Amino acid sequence: MFWADQIANDLKDKGPQLVDDAWTTSGFAHIGSLRGIIIHDTIFRALKNRKINTAYSFILDDFDPMDGLPIYLDAEKYLPFMGMPMRSIPSEVEGKTLADFFADDFIKTMEIVGTNPEILSAYELYKSGQMDEAIRVALDNAPKIREIYKKVSRIDKGDEWYPFNPVCEECGKIGTTRTINWNGKEVGYICEPEMVKWAKGCGHKGKISPFGGTGKMPYRIEWPAKWKVLGITVEGEGKDHSAATGTRDMGNHVAREVFSIEPPYDIPYEFFLFEGKKMSGSKGLGANAKDVAELLPPEITRFMMIRNYKRAIEFNPKGATIPTLFDEYDKAILAYKGETDFPDLAKVAEYSQKEGKPFTGYRPRFIKIAYSIQLPRVDIFKDAETEKGSPLTNEEKHEITIRIAYAEKWLTNFAPEQFKFQVKEAAPEVSLSEDQKRFLENFEKELQTTDWNGQEIHERLHAIKNSFNISPKDAFSAIYMIFLGKDSGPQAGWFISSLDKDFVLKRLREALK
Ligand SMILES: [Zn+2]
């Protein structure tokens, strides 16, 4: 059974479900965060398919401090804001905070891939008073939480630590404050100049009620508090949080031992590696989720993210990742159509759609389209019609147009040399072996009477190659060399058929001189 359907199965008798995901608004969302959104959306859809009363929320952690400077922010301008809540820092856009600015960008990305969770603001949860009771419970249970830190995360917070960080009334920072006491009504705090490396507190000492948005709980306590307050029943996390002694493990203990709830159903999903690097959003090392989402049609992005959440994704747009993804997606569509017997893969195809049902009409391979648009004389639609064997429907034409656009984007920005070629106007200087010459000589003769289509030429080529006992590599590289000036290229029969017959024969004769 497809993993999301399995989860829905596990939860079918457990009442209404709230699927949740969250993200800190400290920079442009990286592509790994998009994986979380899509995985949770898939579970949300699977639960709804089971007719389970389900909602999907997404919390913007906009009350978190700015604890790092993304490379795309002006350091001089933003350094003084380090340690302040993201929601209190102005952006370059008039009237928008940095938190809003980054959130808007990510919400647009969510829409591109067809996810529409209910967006919540962590700050609003605090300000509205919804978190008050959890704050009180956490502060009352400070000794127990210190023990959990020691036991689970091997962190000794000391005996005077409290799970609350007020916003300093003097300097507005939240990343620098430390609560030093709690009397049931107010917390006493210090804004520490040296507590963290990334921000300097002002030294202010104050006393304030911790309720109604005057401060927040640290992330490891806040997460289970949200589970309790909102009634979240399903929430997974990326591998960096799911390791033993990690944030999730800690959250589970706090949920049970402090907030007296069972933690939500867990889905620990794997990393997303971009060009071999682990994503790190706030440091600006990772690829912007929106940029990646725009490289691919939404169904391919979703397909990549959900087909196996336990497997790390290695995404390298400068390699063969993109054409391979399209091919694999096409295989999933075959399964969906029942032409192959892979029921889980069929489900992946179904859940990969931005909306509606998968397109099941005829569509050429992505790589073929990418090759076709590099050839001077090819009518992609006519070619497609020949391959299909009947006229294209309007929907099929539309789908081909979409693939052409993505292929152009890929070729222009990323495609490696092996996928790019240009037919040489003049015969390139090449040195051919005797075997290669004999092979081309016969090919030239055969071509004169061959029907000018890819399949026919392909079959002739193979017949000649076999009769000469020449290796495929030697045979085909001879063809690529004389037309492209390099030793590899697109599928040869089809490639030759895309060229003018007289031109091909002339080039072969020139090469054999
Ligand atoms: Zn301060």
Side-chain angles (χ1 to χ4, degrees):
M1 190 183 281
F2 177 54
W3 61 265
D5 290 328
Q6 183 61 55
I7 292 173
N9 223 21
D10 294 347
L11 295 171
K12 69 177 187 296
D13 301 319
K14 306 226 163 123
Q17 299 295 318
L18 175 58
V19 182
D20 181 68
D21 192 13
W23 162 75
T24 303
T25 56
S26 59
F28 288 117
H30 61 74
I31 183 68
S33 307
L34 192 61
R35 187 172 204 188
I37 292 275
I38 294 174
I39 284 174
H40 287 95
D41 183 63
T42 304
I43 298 165
F44 171 59
R45 291 185 187 190
L47 289 163
K48 281 202 301 185
N49 286 348
R50 280 255 166 185
K51 311 264 180 266
I52 297 168
N53 184 351
T54 308
Y56 179 16
S57 59
F58 186 81
I59 303 173
L60 301 169
D61 286 326
D62 52 359
F63 207 14
D64 288 5
M66 183 188 238
D67 61 0
L69 264 187
I71 47 171
Y72 39 78
L73 288 183
D74 179 350
E76 206 171 318
K77 183 171 174 194
Y78 283 99
L79 267 177
F81 292 106
M82 292 286 283
M84 284 178 64
M86 292 299 298
R87 63 162 297 279
S88 310
I89 304 172
S91 75
E92 304 284 344
V93 181
E94 179 102 11
K96 275 199 190 297
T97 69
L98 261 192
D100 293 338
F101 177 73
F102 292 130
D104 285 355
D105 187 78
F106 196 25
I107 290 167
K108 273 186 209 130
T109 313
M110 293 181 204
E111 285 163 3
I112 292 175
V113 296
T115 60
N116 302 289
E118 186 192 349
I119 307 288
L120 303 174
S121 142
Y123 173 67
E124 291 300 330
L125 291 179
Y126 280 101
K127 185 162 178 280
S128 66
Q130 287 180 84
M131 300 294 274
D132 286 355
E133 181 58 16
I135 292 169
R136 193 188 57 72
V137 171
L139 283 168
D140 285 349
N141 285 280
K144 201 188 253 179
I145 292 175
R146 292 177 205 136
E147 282 309 308
I148 297 174
Y149 262 104
K150 260 189 235 169
K151 182 173 71 180
V152 180
S153 298
R154 317 256 158 78
I155 297 171
D156 187 355
K157 288 281 187 188
D159 294 338
E160 273 147 33
W161 178 90
Y162 289 86
F164 190 77
N165 302 100
V167 178
C168 174
E169 295 153 286
E170 205 52 44
C171 70
K173 290 180 185 171
I174 193 171
T176 51
T177 58
R178 185 165 67 85
T179 292
I180 49 173
N181 55 55
W182 158 242
N183 63 13
K185 279 187 181 153
E186 289 178 316
V187 291
Y189 70 94
I190 303 178
C191 184
E192 298 273 17
E194 307 290 343
M195 189 173 78
V196 292
K197 287 200 181 74
W198 35 268
K200 202 168 162 59
C202 67
H204 176 71
K205 280 187 186 174
K207 221 170 176 35
I208 197 169
S209 158
F211 305 124
T214 59
K216 72 187 285 292
M217 289 175 271
Y219 187 68
R220 285 165 188 244
I221 316 304
E222 180 183 274
W223 196 16
K226 287 178 194 158
W227 296 341
K228 162 101 175 173
V229 168
L230 296 173
I232 293 161
T233 56
V234 181
E235 182 161 7
E237 66 287 311
K239 197 184 182 183
D240 39 349
H241 294 293
S242 63
T245 79
T247 323
R248 176 67 190 218
D249 201 6
M250 177 88 193
N252 288 349
H253 279 271
V254 173
R256 293 190 179 106
E257 294 163 38
V258 177
F259 295 122
S260 311
I261 53 160
E262 265 308 295
Y265 193 104
D266 194 7
I267 314 102
Y269 50 88
E270 261 287 352
F271 285 132
F272 191 107
L273 303 166
F274 188 89
E275 291 173 356
K277 286 186 226 97
K278 210 186 93 186
M279 298 292 82
S280 172
S282 61
K283 305 296 180 289
L285 290 172
N288 182 347
K290 187 145 156 283
D291 293 344
V292 176
E294 283 172 347
L295 276 184
L296 300 166
E299 67 274 16
I300 304 265
T301 305
R302 292 183 64 105
F303 171 77
M304 158 173 77
M305 299 294 194
I306 66 171
R307 59 181 158 165
N308 184 354
Y309 73 84
K310 290 177 185 156
R311 200 171 77 187
I313 295 172
E314 291 196 34
F315 189 80
N316 185 2
K318 295 194 189 100
T321 306
I322 289 178
T324 307
L325 266 176
F326 274 89
D327 280 354
E328 288 169 352
Y329 177 80
D330 289 352
K331 277 185 205 148
I333 292 296
L334 286 183
Y336 175 77
K337 286 157 80 175
E339 290 177 20
T340 57
D341 188 21
F342 297 107
D344 282 10
L345 194 56
K347 278 287 172 188
V348 179
E350 206 177 311
Y351 283 112
S352 293
Q353 303 312 306
K354 181 175 181 178
E355 58 195 351
K357 296 213 180 312
F359 169 78
T360 54
Y362 166 80
R363 193 162 42 182
R365 284 179 70 197
F366 176 82
I367 194 64
K368 185 165 184 186
I369 288 179
Y371 284 146
S372 294
I373 55 184
Q374 298 179 72
L375 290 168
R377 291 170 11 94
V378 169
D379 179 336
I380 295 176
F381 294 92
K382 205 168 141 239
D383 244 30
E385 203 152 278
T386 310
E387 189 177 83
K388 184 192 172 195
S390 60
L392 299 173
T393 65
N394 284 338
E395 216 188 346
E396 285 167 342
K397 284 181 194 159
H398 176 67
E399 287 294 324
I400 292 171
T401 310
I402 291 173
R403 283 210 167 171
I404 292 173
Y406 283 104
E408 277 170 350
K409 201 180 271 190
W410 178 62
L411 286 168
T412 312
N413 299 305
F414 301 104
E417 275 311 306
Q418 70 189 102
F419 294 107
K420 288 195 210 170
F421 56 83
Q422 199 172 16
V423 178
K424 300 282 181 209
E425 292 293 332
E429 288 279 329
V430 292
S431 73
L432 299 166
S433 71
E434 284 309 309
D435 279 354
Q436 285 177 315
K437 280 184 184 160
R438 273 197 308 145
F439 169 74
L440 291 180
E441 211 168 73
N442 272 269
F443 183 45
E444 192 265 341
K445 256 181 225 146
E446 286 277 327
L447 273 184
Q448 297 179 27
T449 57
T450 304
D451 279 350
W452 208 249
N453 69 61
Q455 187 57 32
E456 197 67 27
I457 297 173
H458 172 80
E459 281 167 20
R460 292 290 175 104
L461 262 176
H462 279 270
I464 302 165
K465 170 180 70 72
N466 293 340
S467 70
F468 277 104
N469 211 9
I470 182 173
S471 77
K473 189 176 178 299
D474 285 350
F476 292 114
S477 67
I479 291 174
Y480 298 131
M481 287 301 290
I482 66 170
F483 288 99
L484 304 173
K486 56 198 267 188
D487 60 8
S488 65
Q491 200 246 343
W494 170 80
F495 165 62
I496 293 293
S497 77
S498 74
L499 304 172
D500 178 70
K501 186 170 180 175
D502 290 338
F503 170 79
V504 170
L505 293 173
K506 182 164 165 265
R507 176 61 53 87
L508 281 163
R509 284 176 208 133
E510 280 170 354
L512 290 165
K513 263 184 203 158

